[in-house]
Amino acid sequence: MSSPAPTPTPVDIPSPATLPRSRRTLLIIISLLSVGICACVGIGAFTIGRGILGISTEQATITPILNEFMQAIVARDADRAYRLFSTRAQRQTPIADIEALTTGPNYVLFDGYQSLKIDSTNISTVANTDPDVPQGLVATVSGSITYTGNVQGSFRGTLEKENGTWRLHAINITVPPSKAVP
């Protein structure tokens, strides 16, 4: 036969008011630190979440601009492509440079364009004394371009927000050598 389990002895837990003064102060300090740490973690999580949401929202408005640029060049519509550039970029780049993309050897960068996908987006606020560099809200994006025949290229672009709308400042497109060969 087993012996009955011992009856637990009640433990008297003192209330904070009955604790000695030094222990009460320590309890208050630990409580305040806990609240402070929780607040900092909460604010940090909110800030990071807001930043991620902001980038994905902006990326959704940038992608159509890049897509329209590609489609305009494929359609050999230099005027439409040129209107997608910011005022600052238009000051620096004559329309003849965009027209050159619709003909000649550089057209290979656009011929057979199907779609593009942004893989990386960096948005920052820029202020510079050089009037030729993008200013205000600036996005640097990079990603991949799909052409007919499942050929993959890549791009890197810089856009600036002008009157609430993203506009191109510069774009660099790279294709594999196999696409560049006629």
Side-chain angles (χ1 to χ4, degrees):
M1 237 163 81
S2 67
S3 61
T7 308
T9 310
V11 178
D12 188 20
I13 300 174
S15 71
T18 61
L19 288 174
R21 183 169 173 78
S22 63
R23 290 191 68 190
R24 204 174 347 163
T25 303
L26 180 62
L27 184 61
I28 291 170
I29 290 171
I30 290 172
S31 298
L32 289 174
L33 283 173
S34 297
V35 168
I37 289 170
C38 288
C40 288
V41 167
I43 290 170
F46 174 76
T47 303
I48 290 170
R50 194 172 123 224
I52 290 170
L53 179 62
I55 286 175
S56 65
T57 301
E58 295 297 344
Q59 189 171 308
T61 59
I62 291 170
T63 302
I65 302 299
L66 297 168
N67 185 50
E68 186 174 345
F69 171 75
M70 295 295 290
Q71 289 175 347
I73 299 296
V74 167
R76 300 180 191 269
D77 189 347
D79 289 332
R80 184 175 71 161
Y82 193 69
R83 286 191 302 270
L84 297 170
F85 282 86
S86 69
T87 306
R88 185 181 330 278
Q90 288 178 2
R91 250 191 347 254
Q92 298 170 46
T93 306
I95 193 167
D97 288 358
I98 305 302
E99 289 169 346
L101 297 175
T102 65
T103 60
N106 287 327
Y107 187 71
V108 72
L109 300 172
F110 306 94
D111 190 31
Y113 169 73
Q114 300 265 303
S115 64
L116 62 78
K117 178 180 173 263
I118 296 176
D119 298 323
S120 171
T121 303
N122 183 12
I123 297 176
S124 57
T125 303
V126 177
N128 197 308
T129 56
D130 183 352
D132 293 336
V133 298
Q135 306 282 332
L137 202 55
V138 175
T140 304
V141 296
S142 61
S144 58
I145 299 174
T146 302
Y147 297 92
T148 54
N150 206 26
V151 174
Q152 294 292 309
S154 62
F155 72 92
R156 182 171 175 81
T158 303
L159 297 92
E160 60 184 319
K161 209 160 204 183
E162 195 174 79
N163 299 323
T165 303
W166 285 107
R167 303 203 42 209
L168 278 166
H169 180 78
I171 187 164
N172 184 319
I173 299 168
T174 306
V175 295
S178 62
K179 180 163 176 31
V181 176

